[in-house]
Amino acid sequence: MLHPILSEESGKRSVTIKLDSNYSDFSGFNNWSIYDLEKDTLIKTFDKRTISTVNLGWYLPGEGKLYKIVTVMQEGGTPVMDETD
């Protein structure tokens, strides 16, 4: 779910997402990471069992960005919670 905030002067939008942890693709793992593919940087690691929003920053008019969401177990990194329920 996207929640854009519009800047009247420049048309820029601040984008925040809220992830649905009940989505079937999230099954099997609790710790997930979001990466910005252009900058090859980690945006946030989150526990799917906790309601969480992620601020993706400001977008210029017509701008698009590409992200990937992967499990910490697959990509590596530090879990924010235990993997077992």
Side-chain angles (χ1 to χ4, degrees), residues 3-16 57-63:
H3 296 283
I5 298 171
L6 179 62
S7 170
E8 296 297 328
E9 303 84 42
S10 64
K12 292 169 60 174
R13 287 162 175 78
S14 175
V15 177
T16 301
W58 288 94
Y59 286 64
L60 297 172
E63 180 180 21

Side-chain angles (χ1 to χ4, degrees), residues 64-80:
K65 296 183 182 182
L66 186 60
Y67 298 92
K68 73 176 178 179
I69 300 175
V70 294
T71 68
V72 171
M73 298 295 286
Q74 174 186 353
E75 195 70 18
T78 304
V80 292

Side-chain angles (χ1 to χ4, degrees), residues 6 18 22 26 41 51 53 67 71-72 74 76 78-79 84-85:
L6 179 62
K18 179 179 172 184
N22 293 320
F26 282 130
T41 57
I51 295 175
T53 59
Y67 298 92
T71 68
V72 171
Q74 174 186 353
T78 304
T84 58
D85 289 324

Side-chain angles (χ1 to χ4, degrees), residues 2-61:
L2 296 175
H3 296 283
I5 298 171
L6 179 62
S7 170
E8 296 297 328
E9 303 84 42
S10 64
K12 292 169 60 174
R13 287 162 175 78
S14 175
V15 177
T16 301
I17 60 171
K18 179 179 172 184
L19 301 166
D20 180 1
S21 63
N22 293 320
Y23 188 62
S24 63
D25 285 348
F26 282 130
S27 64
F29 297 99
N30 296 326
N31 291 281
W32 292 81
S33 295
I34 300 175
Y35 289 89
D36 179 329
L37 291 180
E38 178 185 9
K39 297 177 184 173
D40 194 29
T41 57
L42 173 67
I43 302 298
K44 183 174 183 174
T45 299
F46 62 95
D47 177 2
K48 74 169 187 178
R49 299 169 294 179
T50 304
I51 295 175
S52 179
T53 59
V54 179
N55 182 355
L56 298 178
W58 288 94
Y59 286 64
L60 297 172

